[in-house]
Amino acid sequence: MKKVLITGVAGFIGSNLADRLLKEGNYEVIGIDNLSYGIKEQIPNGVKFYKYDIRNKLIGHLFENVDYVFHFAAKNCISDCQKNPQETFDINVNGTINIFNYAYNNKVKKVIFAESSAIYEGSDIYPTPETEFKPQSFYAISKATIMMLSESYKKFYNLNTTALRYFCVYGPRQDYRRSIPPLFSSFIIKLLKGETPTIYGTGEKRRDFIHIDDINNFHIKCITDNRTTGKVFNLGNGINYSVNEMLKTIQNLLGIGIEPNYEPDLPGEAFQNLADIELAKEIGWIPKIDLETGLKSSINFIKNELKKGNL
Ligand SMILES: NC(=O)c1ccc[n+]([C@@H]2O[C@H](COP(=O)([O-])OP(=O)(O)OC[C@H]3O[C@@H](n4cnc5c(N)ncnc54)[C@H](O)[C@@H]3O)[C@@H](O)[C@H]2O)c1
């Protein structure tokens, strides 16, 4: 059995990875989350859960005999981060330093951590390769900082890491309770409730969406394939859609055609993102889930949550 620690385990990506690892059968999973955004009920049974902030200096004992750390906990809504740069850096940078410190003190084999395609905000090269580096928003700069920190931890403490530059990940358990929920969840919920969906801006922004099951295939690779160590990988589909196109697809799948309300644009967001995924493909990863199939899994999940009265 390999022991895996996941930070942000009550969140979207963390809870889905915990589920996948437990289903694989040869992993013991422990998880940390301060439940600031995460939902305790969505942590899979079988995870040893500890309610802690990643900045807490008392979490060291949790790293004993841990083989791999997946570090997802972060302040991650771009517009919230724009309003509070200090807290963004405190959680995303100081919190990560705490995680890196305990990882190397406990001889963890590798820390796999969440970066973001927001690093490419200032770039106009599409598809964007990993060599681009143009963060602008406070969120993106915090993610860029932890990437640079990981290089120092490798150089000075010999800590192995893999950085994952996610594009727009979607699928079941995506956080739908926030003031501004992720696009897909928000459209599906509104349409199912017979309400008007909101689009911020003109709806012509383009996003590269990638399903959580494809992302989890790469997560497993990070544990099992040494070629991932010491590198940063774009994880997207290599195809992008406009927000208007996405809404149309969801309307068609649901058979509900309520037209959107257009609100002023949100600050700090890039106009377009599109991943160059050649590096991940070179080591045998390829996204398998097309948008329509992936959306059906989100729709089923949200329908069930509505039935349970959770929304
Ligand atoms: N979902 C995406 O499309 C996407 C894209 C790019 C990058 N990312 C990154 O991937 C990671 C996971 O994203 P997600 O979509 O699962 O987000 P999420 O908000 O669903 O999960 C993050 C979890 O971290 C927890 N958390 C926040 N601050 C904490 C703290 N100080 N201490 C302990 N726990 C804390 C929250 O309660 C939440 O459960 C984040 O680092 C995010 O920046 C996600």
Side-chain angles (χ1 to χ4, degrees), residues 5 104 110 171 257:
L5 185 152
Y104 90 79
K110 181 155 73 166

Side-chain angles (χ1 to χ4, degrees), residues 274-291:
L274 181 62
D276 178 333
I277 52 173
E278 285 312 306
L279 215 58
K281 276 180 165 173
E282 272 169 24
I283 58 163
W285 176 80
I286 182 114
K288 293 184 181 142
I289 301 178
D290 64 77
L291 188 68

Side-chain angles (χ1 to χ4, degrees), residues 26 106 113 138 141 146-147 186 201 221 244 252 294-295 298:
N26 39 350
N106 287 279
F113 65 93
F138 297 115
I141 292 172
I146 66 175
M147 200 206 78
S186 126
K221 228 176 198 329
N244 288 323
N252 290 340
L295 272 176
S298 291

Side-chain angles (χ1 to χ4, degrees), residues 7-15 32-39 42 52-55 71-77 90-92 95 113-118 139 143 146 164-170 173-175 178 182 210:
T7 75
V9 74
F12 165 48
I13 296 179
S15 61
I32 301 175
D33 202 297
N34 67 356
L35 301 180
S36 54
Y37 283 106
I39 300 164
Q42 73 184 9
Y52 273 119
D53 194 291
I54 51 165
R55 293 164 288 180
H71 174 40
F72 300 132
K75 186 172 174 72
N76 61 9
C77 171
D90 198 29
I91 296 173
N92 295 2
F113 65 93
E115 245 215 52
S116 171
S117 60
Y139 168 72
K143 291 289 185 181
I146 66 175
L164 303 180
R165 215 164 265 177
Y166 302 122
F167 280 64
C168 301
V169 190
Y170 73 102
R173 295 202 184 99
Q174 189 156 32
D175 186 358
R178 300 182 179 203
I210 177 85

Side-chain angles (χ1 to χ4, degrees), residues 28 96 108 148 228 232 300 302:
E28 179 188 346
T96 299
V108 165
M148 290 189 289
T228 56
V232 52
N300 287 339
I302 289 175

Side-chain angles (χ1 to χ4, degrees), residues 76-143:
N76 61 9
C77 171
I78 291 187
S79 53
D80 286 352
C81 292
Q82 286 302 100
K83 286 179 208 145
N84 199 339
Q86 199 159 13
E87 191 186 53
T88 303
F89 270 68
D90 198 29
I91 296 173
N92 295 2
V93 178
N94 288 337
T96 299
I97 289 179
N98 212 26
I99 299 297
F100 284 170
N101 278 341
Y102 288 126
Y104 90 79
N105 276 334
N106 287 279
K107 301 190 170 47
V108 165
K109 293 190 178 73
K110 181 155 73 166
V111 180
I112 299 106
F113 65 93
E115 245 215 52
S116 171
S117 60
I119 300 260
Y120 304 136
E121 281 161 346
S123 174
D124 51 9
I125 295 175
Y126 304 108
T128 319
E130 286 88 349
T131 44
E132 276 289 277
F133 191 73
K134 302 229 166 105
Q136 294 183 331
S137 66
F138 297 115
Y139 168 72
I141 292 172
S142 74
K143 291 289 185 181

